[in-house]
Amino acid sequence: MKALKEIYKTFNQYLRLRTHPVAIKLFESREDAPKGYFINKNANICQLVAKARYHHLISCIAREQHVCVLGSSCLGFIKTPERLKSGKLNVKTYAKTLEAAHRFQANVTKLGDHTRKYDAAMIAPMDISPREPQIIVIYCTPAQAVRLIHAYAYQDGRATEIKTVAEAALCSAIANVMLGKDFVIDFPCAGARRYGFVQEDELVVAFNYNIAEELLTGLAETHKAGASRYPFGPYLEWTPKPRLGFETTKEDLET
């Protein structure tokens, strides 16, 4: 595997990202997390991802410091509580009935639906991550996401399937990767926009660190082929028609 700094540099070369790619690792014991980076207040992981991608800062968070019950359930910091699993918290906000709310909540992947497993998490800019990550998170525009989809498909033509209710997108994407999906795209939720400063034109992409080099190869080869490069250039092989009086005439050429 290439060094994290080299992978980071290559992603930026082909995607021209506005913010830093983020490395994430979950720990069953906080004793295994890198020392000296634990935050001194309660927070949400979307806030810490914002600190990593905007301010290039490393953070670690212990399970009891995580504020959002949905994010904590997704990350396996807690076992999903019944008030969340039942859908009770989402009735009349995201769903009409308790049955619909239960189905809505079931469509958010949560490690805590199985068991409480993780005690802490590391969130770091990819190029300075003090541990090899399990997951890389990138916030990007839809056009940049197209490049990643093409890179993911390059080896065998596989499709990227998006299943979403646009809730807990970051944390559920992390959960999906931890449960075996190697590449996930989702629509950031209201909380991520409020607390994580996600912009209106951004999607969240999460992938298993083990496929990082494969994605880089896909980016490089599809870029080389020329049909799919970022930024996507306009087609310019046409003759413009100036407004009346501004075209070069035959008489102009003969003077």
Side-chain angles (χ1 to χ4, degrees):
M1 180 70 76
K2 295 180 180 178
L4 279 166
K5 281 187 178 181
E6 187 177 349
I7 294 172
Y8 166 91
K9 181 179 178 181
T10 309
F11 271 119
N12 280 312
Q13 174 188 344
Y14 290 114
L15 296 176
R16 302 190 189 185
L17 297 167
R18 292 188 301 215
T19 60
H20 303 288
V22 178
I24 294 176
K25 187 174 181 66
L26 303 180
F27 300 93
E28 294 187 23
S29 170
R30 68 190 65 187
E31 296 302 315
D32 296 327
K35 307 302 183 225
Y37 296 108
F38 275 91
I39 60 175
N40 59 8
K41 60 183 177 182
N42 295 346
N44 285 329
I45 195 169
C46 54
Q47 289 175 273
L48 302 182
V49 168
K51 287 177 69 174
R53 73 187 191 101
Y54 285 113
H55 298 308
H56 205 242
L57 295 173
I58 302 168
S59 304
C60 288
I61 186 170
R63 60 184 292 268
E64 68 274 10
Q65 293 178 298
H66 199 267
V67 174
C68 173
V69 67
L70 180 51
S72 292
S73 299
C74 290
L75 298 169
F77 283 167
I78 61 173
K79 189 170 182 180
T80 306
E82 186 58 31
R83 72 182 186 280
L84 187 63
K85 188 180 292 187
S86 68
K88 181 180 178 181
L89 295 180
N90 293 123
V91 178
K92 303 304 181 184
T93 51
Y94 291 125
K96 182 177 180 179
T97 64
L98 182 62
E99 180 184 6
H102 173 71
R103 188 177 300 113
F104 178 93
Q105 200 55 252
N107 281 318
V108 178
T109 303
K110 302 178 291 298
L111 297 177
D113 285 351
H114 306 277
T115 184
R116 175 173 73 80
K117 183 173 184 179
Y118 295 107
D119 189 42
M122 176 203 76
I123 304 96
M126 185 167 65
D127 59 321
I128 59 170
S129 177
R131 294 283 191 278
E132 182 175 291
Q134 296 151 324
I135 299 158
I136 301 298
V137 168
I138 290 175
Y139 281 90
C140 62
T141 67
Q144 291 165 326
V146 166
R147 292 296 294 117
L148 286 166
I149 291 168
H150 288 165
Y152 183 63
Y154 181 74
Q155 296 292 341
D156 57 13
R158 59 194 165 187
T160 297
E161 297 181 357
I162 300 176
K163 177 185 175 183
T164 185
V165 289
E167 177 70 343
L170 168 65
C171 294
S172 64
I174 292 169
N176 273 310
V177 174
M178 294 301 292
L179 290 173
K181 289 188 177 180
D182 54 11
F183 185 79
V184 178
I185 295 179
D186 210 335
F187 295 85
C189 66
R193 299 176 191 281
R194 186 174 295 117
Y195 308 123
F197 301 97
V198 175
Q199 302 303 300
E200 289 189 356
D201 62 344
E202 289 182 316
L203 300 173
V204 60
V205 178
F207 55 87
N208 191 309
Y209 176 61
N210 290 333
I211 71 163
E213 284 199 42
E214 180 183 334
L215 288 177
L216 292 182
T217 298
L219 283 171
E221 293 301 320
T222 51
H223 178 91
K224 189 189 303 180
S228 180
R229 292 179 178 176
Y230 184 82
F232 294 90
Y235 180 76
L236 296 173
E237 298 303 319
W238 49 277
T239 300
K241 184 174 177 57
R243 60 193 177 95
L244 187 63
F246 280 82
E247 70 275 10
T248 301
T249 66
K250 181 179 179 182
E251 289 75 16
D252 293 331
L253 295 172
E254 291 176 348
T255 58

